[in-house]
Amino acid sequence: MNSDPVSLPGEPAVDLNLGIAHGLTPEEFDHIKKILGRIPTYTELGVFSVMWSEHCSYKSSRRHLKMMPSRGPRVVQGPGENAGAIDIGDGWLAVFKIESHNHPSFVEPYQGAATGVGGILRDIFTMGARPIANMDSLKFGSFDHPRTKYLLASVVGGIGGYGNCVGVPTVAGETMFDPAYNGNILVNAFCLGLVRREDLLSARASGVGNPVLYVGSATGRDGIHGASLLASAEFDAESESKRPTVQVGDPFTEKLLIEACLEAARTGAIVAIQDMGAAGLTSSSSEMAGRGGLGIELDLDRVPLREAGLTPYEILLSESQERMLIVADRGRVDELQRVFAKWDLHAVEIGRITDDQNWRIRFGGRIVADIPIAPLSDDAPMYDRPAAPPADPQPIESSHPKPPPPSRAGDALRTLLASPNIASKRWIFRQYDSIVQSNTVAGPGGDAAVLRIKGVRRGLALTVDSNPRACAIDPYLGAVATVCEAAINVACAGARPVGITNCLNYGNPERPEIMWQFIRGVEGIRDAAIAFAAPVVSGNVSFYNETEGRAIPPTPTIAMVGLLEDFTAAVTHFFTHAGDQVLVVRTNSPRLAGSEYAAQFRCDDRGLDSRGLGSIDLSYERALAEMLVDAAQAGLIRSAHDVSGGGLAVALTEACFNPGGALGAEFSLPSEFETAVELFGEGRSTIVLSAAAENIGQLRQLIGAAGLKIVASGRVTELPRLKIGSVIDEDVLALREIYERALPGRIGEP
């Protein structure tokens, strides 16, 4: 080091108590002193606190995440960059990632959700890819809770407000309401972009002496300590006071930043680029230099500021939005500055890459931070936290009394269709632009969204899924089931599962039962991802999702990308032709454990241990996915719908809801199927298929060759009436009215 850095006049004296106030443990504070050989400056303390936070360092999860499969013949970039990338043919790469913005969205829901969208967009175009699709996974509390309606409206408004303005369609998503999320909602945001293989960018710095450019919006005080004190700690009675730490987004500036960065990438003058996300300038600079095994030196006097008087501590820790850091080729700074000036954006040279493997910060002519790069990037603390199953595992249950199951299956079906977890989410997705950019073949409301890739025949299918009720019963089987559902959903559209990104939402990892849930969940994702040959190429861990000691149920969220050889062969989830034959194909018997039926009614089959979910044979799940893809490519099926929430009866009902005009179905069932378990049970995997009569024989052969069972059959009718055995005979139009009006009715809309 050149000389010891200094704290500035008026900054607090650094000691152990101040370190603890910054979220560091006494052991971590002592370790910092050993690394530096001295007491850190106030700026350095802030830097260590964010870079060693759970949110930035993954100190409780890193060792376990390594067990996930992240390589494969299509994988071009796995975990470790801003996003993952897979080869989808014709010279194109799909770049995608999902991340959480849970705590900010609970504290300030509109801006929290909006900046969650903005952040995930930047992770994608930082890789040189143009964002073409967003998805989201949302978890809210019960509608009985006084904040749920406000949080729902604000989060949906933030997602739509940002995504619509920036011109990226929101094409799919999922939303759940349960008392388990009353004190801690979840907002997980996904984005996918496309890039030519030769144009893929990296966040790995190289070239000693190369200049470092700050581009985008100016820096303010918003978001300071968002990563360390808001996203890396559980909620308590003081959480509302943390509202000022939530960032404020500007989607119009983000749109300019997208176009400027993609144009700058085409110049070839960018060596490395990274979004200033969590921990802002600190993380982007230290991580880029660390990946390259180099050092970096920054002069904060050159950083564009929104307001006067910001200290080095504030500049480095600010999480102001719409900012990027670029390592440029020497001699080409002017070229890049001209590009950003064209888009009315800052592009200021604020530093250079060095060869001493140190992270050095200057301000006012003085060095205020000088830290070895490794402890800030790759060598942050890593813990092997104790893990043990809870003494008495319980599935999540509603806090209010539930009525007994109805005596008639039709009454149960209507009740389930009115549940906000099953009912149409049109009220939500109608607020999103799902067709901008004109790539959307199938948008929200089905098993998976389908996108075309302009200029080629190939297409992509996207879905996002979670199953916290199953994961609460058994974290391993629940995670396996979640991956299976995502894979089968894209296969129902006719796409082969090719890649996964995940967002792992759990409680406090310092509690052994939470760590056990997490490890078992990772093991489940690993096993299922291997079975489907769908590598996990990116992701996010969100711990400390609990309030005053009450954790959310384990909620690993899986976003699956599937590849269609021909997007025009995509299959719908709804019936399309009266007279078509309907087959129900199954890999496993359904269960009421963890089902929406069990959540709505008092029933004994709650599955209080792992036996309640039933086993999952991944070889059959893979065979089912392959059969669906083969049948779609051969043109043998007209629709395919995954049986999930609400079971078989709900899936058959939803399949009748053709957007061009409702159809009906007559379904014969063996008498032993006319039970609540068979009609409303859930679990892996059951599919409702429809096919033209002339294709049914070939389809049956394909199903049999895959080792799968057809357990029931029926036909599509022109009369919009649903008949299932002797137990359900309902008007489809009346059922659709219940399905469509349920969510607006709870929100209070006419």
Side-chain angles (χ1 to χ4, degrees):
M1 299 183 187
N2 296 343
S3 61
D4 284 348
V6 297
S7 292
L8 299 179
E11 290 183 332
V14 175
D15 58 16
L16 174 59
N17 289 333
L18 189 61
I20 292 172
H22 276 68
L24 297 167
T25 67
E27 294 77 16
E28 289 171 345
F29 186 77
D30 285 342
H31 188 41
I32 291 169
K33 291 192 295 182
K34 290 178 182 177
I35 290 170
L36 300 176
R38 54 178 170 78
I39 297 287
T41 67
Y42 182 61
T43 298
E44 290 172 332
L45 178 68
V47 166
F48 273 109
S49 74
V50 294
M51 294 307 294
W52 286 10
S53 69
E54 189 70 58
H55 188 74
C56 291
S57 73
Y58 285 28
K59 57 190 175 185
S60 299
S61 61
R62 284 206 318 271
R63 67 173 61 246
H64 304 293
L65 296 175
K66 295 176 182 178
M67 72 174 78
M68 288 192 189
S70 59
R71 297 179 181 178
R74 292 188 179 275
V75 177
V76 177
Q77 178 60 60
E81 280 278 353
N82 290 293
I86 60 171
D87 190 328
I88 55 174
D90 298 308
W92 286 104
L93 304 182
V95 178
F96 54 94
K97 188 180 184 182
I98 189 170
E99 280 200 338
S100 63
H101 228 225
N102 301 333
H103 286 185
S105 299
F106 186 77
V107 172
E108 212 317 299
Y110 185 94
Q111 290 297 343
T115 54
V117 174
I120 198 65
L121 284 167
R122 291 192 296 278
D123 281 336
I124 301 309
F125 68 80
T126 294
M127 304 285 288
R130 177 172 293 279
I132 66 164
N134 289 338
M135 298 192 293
D136 53 69
S137 174
L138 311 177
K139 300 289 183 291
F140 297 99
S142 165
F143 272 104
D144 295 333
H145 192 273
R147 291 196 78 208
T148 295
K149 292 180 184 179
Y150 159 71
L151 290 169
L152 171 63
S154 298
V155 165
V156 170
I159 292 170
Y162 205 100
N164 294 352
C165 290
V166 85
V168 178
T170 300
V171 298
E174 61 157 7
T175 306
M176 180 180 182
F177 302 87
D178 195 277
Y181 299 97
N182 282 347
N184 197 125
I185 67 172
L186 301 183
V187 175
N188 295 175
F190 166 97
C191 184
L192 178 142
L194 294 178
V195 63
R196 300 297 294 177
R197 186 176 185 124
E198 64 271 17
D199 295 332
L200 185 69
L201 296 180
S202 169
R204 182 182 299 272
S206 63
V208 174
N210 273 339
V212 177
L213 297 183
Y214 172 116
V215 305
S217 294
T219 294
R221 287 189 169 91
D222 50 324
I224 293 173
H225 270 302
S228 59
L229 296 185
L230 187 58
S232 299
E234 62 189 70
F235 281 128
D236 55 30
E238 304 301 318
S239 293
E240 278 295 306
S241 67
K242 297 176 181 176
R243 187 180 300 269
T245 65
V246 177
Q247 312 96 311
V248 177
D250 179 356
F252 299 105
T253 298
E254 181 98 341
K255 175 60 175 174
L256 298 177
L257 192 60
I258 291 173
E259 300 304 330
C261 286
L262 294 179
E263 183 175 337
R266 291 194 293 271
T267 68
I270 294 178
V271 174
I273 180 171
Q274 181 157 331
D275 164 39
M276 291 192 218
L281 183 56
T282 293
S283 62
S284 56
S285 58
S286 61
E287 289 172 359
M288 279 205 298
R291 288 189 188 101
L294 297 167
I296 191 168
E297 185 171 296
L298 304 178
D299 185 350
L300 300 188
D301 293 315
R302 301 180 184 179
V303 172
L305 303 178
R306 285 210 304 264
E307 51 191 300
L310 265 68
T311 67
Y313 180 103
E314 293 171 325
I315 295 170
L316 289 167
L317 272 60
S318 169
E319 295 180 6
S320 293
Q321 295 290 286
E322 292 88 36
R323 303 179 302 157
M324 312 286 278
L325 199 65
I326 291 175
V327 177
D329 263 339
R330 274 177 293 183
R332 304 188 69 178
V333 170
D334 290 346
E335 186 179 352
L336 289 174
Q337 287 177 328
R338 285 194 296 272
V339 171
F340 285 93
K342 170 186 171 182
W343 296 97
D344 293 327
L345 294 171
H346 295 288
V348 181
E349 185 175 345
I350 66 167
R352 64 186 180 90
I353 298 299
T354 66
D355 62 358
D356 61 0
Q357 296 185 326
N358 268 30
W359 186 81
R360 187 174 298 109
I361 306 298
R362 297 182 182 274
F363 181 80
R366 291 176 286 188
I367 297 175
V368 295
D370 199 346
I371 303 171
I373 206 82
L376 297 181
S377 54
D378 298 329
D379 295 340
M382 183 166 64
Y383 297 124
D384 188 6
R385 297 197 184 277
D392 184 23
Q394 293 287 325
I396 58 176
E397 297 185 28
S398 300
S399 57
H400 52 82
K402 293 181 287 293
S407 57
R408 292 186 63 251
D411 295 336
L413 175 60
R414 287 191 292 274
T415 299
L416 289 170
L417 291 173
S419 163
N421 292 328
I422 291 177
S424 169
K425 306 304 185 295
R426 190 180 308 277
W427 182 89
I428 295 173
F429 64 71
R430 75 182 183 189
Q431 300 182 52
Y432 305 152
D433 189 335
S434 62
I435 60 173
V436 64
Q437 298 190 28
S438 68
N439 295 312
T440 307
V441 176
D447 289 347
V450 176
L451 305 173
R452 67 170 179 166
I453 303 169
K454 290 172 182 168
V456 301
R457 299 293 290 179
R458 285 186 171 89
L460 297 171
L462 311 177
T463 189
V464 59
D465 291 288
S466 63
N467 195 335
R469 288 179 176 148
C471 291
I473 295 170
D474 185 299
Y476 173 83
L477 284 176
V480 170
T482 302
V483 176
C484 290
E485 180 170 4
I488 298 303
N489 276 337
V490 298
C492 280
R496 192 175 308 280
V498 292
I500 290 171
T501 180
N502 57 44
C503 193
L504 308 180
N505 306 278
Y506 290 83
N508 185 342
E510 298 165 48
R511 294 166 53 192
E513 65 272 23
I514 300 297
M515 204 63 218
W516 174 79
Q517 290 176 341
F518 175 78
I519 294 170
R520 292 296 286 155
V522 171
E523 291 170 343
I525 294 170
R526 172 200 63 196
D527 292 348
I530 291 171
F532 286 104
V536 180
V537 298
S538 60
N540 173 237
V541 177
S542 177
F543 277 134
Y544 295 99
N545 289 291
E546 56 184 82
T547 298
E548 297 180 349
R550 184 177 180 85
I552 64 164
T555 312
T557 301
I558 302 296
M560 182 73 73
V561 176
L563 181 61
L564 292 121
E565 292 301 320
D566 184 348
F567 74 86
T568 64
V571 176
T572 72
H573 73 281
F574 50 82
F575 300 144
T576 59
H577 292 74
D580 279 356
Q581 301 296 298
V582 181
L583 303 178
V584 175
V585 181
R586 171 191 287 176
T587 65
N588 206 350
S589 298
R591 302 289 180 99
L592 289 179
S595 68
E596 185 65 24
Y597 186 93
Q600 290 290 327
F601 306 116
R602 230 179 6 251
C603 54
D604 295 330
D605 188 4
R606 289 177 180 270
L608 299 182
D609 59 27
S610 61
R611 292 173 297 174
L613 291 181
S615 61
I616 298 175
D617 188 327
L618 286 167
S619 65
Y620 281 118
E621 302 299 319
R622 174 74 179 266
L624 177 60
E626 291 180 348
M627 182 277 294
L628 288 166
V629 174
D630 291 343
Q633 290 180 349
L636 298 179
I637 54 176
R638 282 181 168 156
S639 73
H641 188 24
D642 174 40
V643 173
S644 54
L648 177 61
V650 167
L652 287 168
T653 305
E654 291 171 336
C656 292
F657 296 159
N658 185 306
L663 294 169
E666 292 180 350
F667 227 79
S668 59
L669 283 181
S671 58
E672 63 268 22
F673 272 43
E674 296 183 347
T675 65
V677 173
E678 294 291 345
L679 291 171
F680 306 113
E682 301 169 18
R684 305 301 343 130
S685 276
T686 304
I687 304 296
V688 175
L689 299 173
S690 71
E694 61 267 24
N695 292 326
I696 205 71
Q698 193 175 347
L699 179 59
R700 284 179 176 272
Q701 289 180 354
L702 189 64
I703 293 168
L708 303 170
K709 295 180 180 179
I710 299 170
V711 296
S713 61
R715 68 183 185 92
V716 181
T717 63
E718 186 172 358
L719 179 68
R721 192 158 194 91
L722 177 65
K723 297 180 180 180
I724 304 177
S726 63
V727 289
I728 290 178
D729 187 353
E730 299 286 335
D731 182 347
V732 169
L733 296 178
L735 296 178
R736 177 183 263 179
E737 180 71 10
I738 294 170
Y739 181 78
E740 293 291 347
R741 291 301 311 155
L743 192 54
R746 280 177 167 80
I747 294 164
E749 288 197 356

